[in-house]
């Protein structure tokens, strides 16, 4: 493990800020504005860093820090790079009133907090925190409200988020990165994007909602000023086309709602305010009803019941159709689908038959059609016997 020392600080400068011969170490450290201390296995920062009074950019990423160092004497820092360390809590940043960019990705932070005094913070990067299994990154409401006045870029990718509703108040957001999370609610996104009027770049790849139908089209319509979605630019032609498509759908929806509200359902039935009856071939006496597909979606139950009752009443008032006339087959057998056709046949004493012949004729008539039994006609009932 390595502790930050003056010698290490002196070796962490660029070639443009070499120490002069006649310059003391304290003067040299005071003159430094950028320190490149990344990937040095540093796990502790000493007080010598406080000698760099004019330090504005500090690179401390890819080290072994388990906490954010004390930077009370470095109030001019506006860019701080602390990603890929072992930091578990955001702290010791209150004195950095000029801080505009903060990089904390790849640490062990579970709660976004401790930034409520950073009024000038514009970029915050918290991607891919090493969270305990099953947990997600949490947001302190006070910190979020404070950042809403200045934050323009936020990266919360890979933090197992299933909702971003806590970030809705970040009305100054211009770039939002939330890839590889568990976001799936399109309605929530619509509400949030309705508040983010300055959003022009959005990255949501790797979320379940990306697999929903027309995902890209719907997001472009939600975020009216979006220029780049998931790394791909949005042309003005496609944006205008999708806006017109959405406006057309909204007009149709409002018209449909107005018709439902007034109860003029017949406008969807080509002027016929009754539901068209359709006979069921299995039971012709019971009328069926065909509901068009577009009427099934959203028709109030009460209106459907009223139309059904009105149509049933009209059907009951219509006269019953004539019964089918019995048909005589070549074999001489009378057949009919309705047993009522032969209700009076039992009392008949004479039946017309084939032409009279001298030789006795033994002729049998079988009556079918839902009768309880088969009736046979005796030969002596035939005319001319």
């Amino acid at each position: 493990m390595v502790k930050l020392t003056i010698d290490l600080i002196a070796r962490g400068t660029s070639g443009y800020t070499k120490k002069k011969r006649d310059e003391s170490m304290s003067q040299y450290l005071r003159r430094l504005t950028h320190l490149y201390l990344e990937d040095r296995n540093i796990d502790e920062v000493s007080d010598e860093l406080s000698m760099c009074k004019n330090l504005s950019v500090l690179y401390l990423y890819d080290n072994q820090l388990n906490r954010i160092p004390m930077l009370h004497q470095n109030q001019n820092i506006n860019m701080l790079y602390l990603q890929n360390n072992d930091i578990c809590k955001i702290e010791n940043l209150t004195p950095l009133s000029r801080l505009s960019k903060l990089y904390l990705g790849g640490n062990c932070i579970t709660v976004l907090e401790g930034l409520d005094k950073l009024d000038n913070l514009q970029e915050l990067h918290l991607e891919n925190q090493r969270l305990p299994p099953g947990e997600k990154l949490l947001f302190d409401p006070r910190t979020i409200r404070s950042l809403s006045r200045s934050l323009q870029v936020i990266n919360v990718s890979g933090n197992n988020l299933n909702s971003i509703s806590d970030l809705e108040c970040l009305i100054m957001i211009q770039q939002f990165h939330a890839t590889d999370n568990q976001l799936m609610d399109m309605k929530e996104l619509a509400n949030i994007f309705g508040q983010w009027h300055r959003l022009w770049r959005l990255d949501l790849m790797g979320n379940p909602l990306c697999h929903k139908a027309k995902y890209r089209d719907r997001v472009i319509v939600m975020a009216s000023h979006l220029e780049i979605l998931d790394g791909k630019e949005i042309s003005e032609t496609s944006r205008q086309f999708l806006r017109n498509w959405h406006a057309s759908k909204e007009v149709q929806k409002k018209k449909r709602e107005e018709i439902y509200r007034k109860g003029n359902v017949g406008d969807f039935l080509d002027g016929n305010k009754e539901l068209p009856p359709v006979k069921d071939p299995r039971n012709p006496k019971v009328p069926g009803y065909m509901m068009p597909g577009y009427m099934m979606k959203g028709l109030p139950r009460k209106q459907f019941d009223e139309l059904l009752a009105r149509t049933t009443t009209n059907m009951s008032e219509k006269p019953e159709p004539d019964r089918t006339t019995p048909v005589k087959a070549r074999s001489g057998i009378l057949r009919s689908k309705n047993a009522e056709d032969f209700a009076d046949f039992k009392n008949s004493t004479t039946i017309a038959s084939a032409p009279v012949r001298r030789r006795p004729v033994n002729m049998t008539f079988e009556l079918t059609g839902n009768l309880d039994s088969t009736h046979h006609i005796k030969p002596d009932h035939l005319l001319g016997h």
Side-chain angles (χ1 to χ4, degrees):
M1 299 302 177
V2 179
K3 180 180 180 180
L4 183 63
T5 61
I6 292 180
D7 181 59
L8 192 58
I9 293 175
R11 287 188 283 126
T13 60
S14 65
Y16 298 101
T17 55
K18 293 295 184 180
K19 182 178 177 296
K20 299 177 182 179
R21 287 185 179 180
D22 57 348
E23 188 176 26
S24 66
M25 181 59 69
S26 60
Q27 292 175 337
Y28 173 61
L29 294 179
R30 182 182 294 270
R31 187 166 54 87
L32 295 178
T33 58
H34 291 65
L35 274 182
Y36 303 89
L37 302 173
E38 69 278 3
D39 198 14
R40 304 289 180 93
N41 291 321
I42 298 173
D43 66 333
E44 183 180 354
V45 177
S46 61
D47 294 337
E48 282 78 3
L49 191 60
S50 62
M51 300 175 64
C52 304
K53 300 291 184 179
N54 293 313
L55 190 63
S56 60
V57 180
L58 177 59
Y59 296 94
L60 276 171
Y61 59 87
D62 294 339
N63 283 294
Q64 304 296 325
L65 298 173
N66 55 21
R67 61 179 297 177
I68 297 176
M70 301 286 287
L71 300 170
H72 294 75
Q73 303 300 321
N74 308 100
Q75 299 183 9
N76 290 321
I77 292 180
N78 56 49
M79 297 183 188
L80 182 58
Y81 296 80
L82 292 169
Q83 61 267 40
N84 300 327
N85 281 279
D86 296 321
I87 299 171
C88 297
K89 185 178 180 180
I90 302 177
E91 57 185 351
N92 301 329
L93 294 177
T94 300
L96 306 183
S97 57
R98 299 184 181 181
L99 189 64
S100 62
K101 296 182 180 181
L102 177 60
Y103 294 81
L104 289 170
N107 283 285
C108 305
I109 299 170
T110 58
V111 182
L112 172 57
E113 59 183 348
L115 303 177
D116 47 292
K117 300 298 182 181
L118 303 183
D119 297 333
N120 294 311
L121 189 63
Q122 298 179 0
E123 292 190 24
L124 177 60
H125 299 264
L126 286 165
E127 70 281 0
N128 301 319
Q129 298 299 316
R130 301 194 296 274
L131 301 169
E135 293 192 14
K136 62 181 180 178
L137 182 65
L138 303 177
F139 303 97
D140 173 42
R142 182 173 59 181
T143 296
I144 296 300
R145 286 195 300 269
S146 176
L147 294 176
S148 65
R149 298 187 293 266
S150 61
L151 197 64
Q152 300 177 9
V153 179
I154 186 170
N155 189 343
V156 290
S157 299
N159 286 314
N160 201 30
L161 298 176
N162 56 13
S163 173
I164 55 172
S165 58
D166 294 336
L167 306 178
E168 183 175 357
C169 63
L170 300 178
I171 57 176
M172 304 297 290
I173 283 293
Q174 298 182 16
Q175 300 183 46
F176 182 68
H177 308 274
T179 61
D180 300 324
N181 282 294
Q182 301 299 322
L183 302 177
M184 61 181 64
D185 192 346
M186 294 293 288
K187 291 184 178 179
E188 178 184 271
L189 288 186
N191 294 333
I192 294 175
F193 294 161
Q195 305 296 324
W196 293 357
H197 301 293
R198 303 189 181 195
L199 183 68
W200 64 268
R201 178 165 187 169
L202 177 65
D203 291 310
L204 295 175
M205 290 297 293
N207 285 279
L209 58 80
C210 295
H211 302 290
K212 294 192 175 184
K214 296 186 180 298
Y215 150 74
R216 184 176 177 85
D217 296 346
R218 294 168 67 182
V219 171
I220 293 175
V221 172
M222 292 175 190
S224 57
H225 299 286
L226 205 60
E227 297 179 8
I228 301 176
L229 175 59
D230 297 332
K232 297 180 180 179
E233 292 188 5
I234 302 171
S235 66
E236 189 60 32
T237 302
S238 61
R239 187 201 313 278
Q240 192 60 43
F241 172 79
L242 291 173
R243 284 178 179 175
N244 295 338
W245 166 74
H246 179 69
S248 176
K249 287 189 63 176
E250 287 297 315
V251 170
Q252 294 178 7
K253 181 180 178 181
K254 290 181 180 180
K255 182 178 179 181
R256 209 161 41 239
E257 291 176 351
E258 183 68 16
I259 291 174
Y260 291 158
R261 186 178 65 83
K262 293 182 178 180
N264 298 330
V265 185
D267 291 351
F268 284 101
L269 299 176
D270 297 330
N272 184 8
K273 293 188 178 181
E274 304 297 338
L275 293 176
V278 179
K279 289 187 177 181
D280 187 347
R282 297 170 296 180
N283 193 349
K285 290 187 177 182
V286 180
Y289 296 91
M290 181 182 297
M291 177 68 74
Y294 53 82
M295 294 295 294
M296 294 292 288
K297 300 177 180 178
L299 181 64
R301 178 75 185 191
K302 183 177 179 181
Q303 294 186 15
F304 176 76
D305 291 341
E306 291 176 355
L307 291 174
L308 184 62
R310 192 158 60 244
T311 307
T312 305
T313 303
N314 294 342
M315 288 292 298
S316 61
E317 295 176 355
K318 295 180 180 180
E320 296 185 359
D322 296 337
R323 295 188 179 90
T324 307
T325 305
V327 179
K328 182 176 180 181
R330 292 183 59 184
S331 63
I333 298 175
L334 299 179
R335 299 183 182 275
S336 175
K337 295 182 180 179
N338 299 321
E340 293 84 357
D341 296 335
F342 293 91
D344 299 329
F345 186 76
K346 298 178 182 179
N347 301 327
S348 176
T349 57
T350 59
I351 298 178
S353 64
V356 179
R357 305 182 63 165
R358 294 295 180 181
R359 189 173 55 186
V361 178
N362 187 11
M363 185 176 294
T364 302
F365 290 85
E366 182 180 354
L367 306 181
T368 61
N370 298 329
L371 295 179
D372 295 336
S373 61
T374 302
H375 300 273
H376 297 278
I377 304 173
K378 297 180 180 180
D380 54 358
H381 288 171
L382 297 176
L383 293 177
H385 186 272

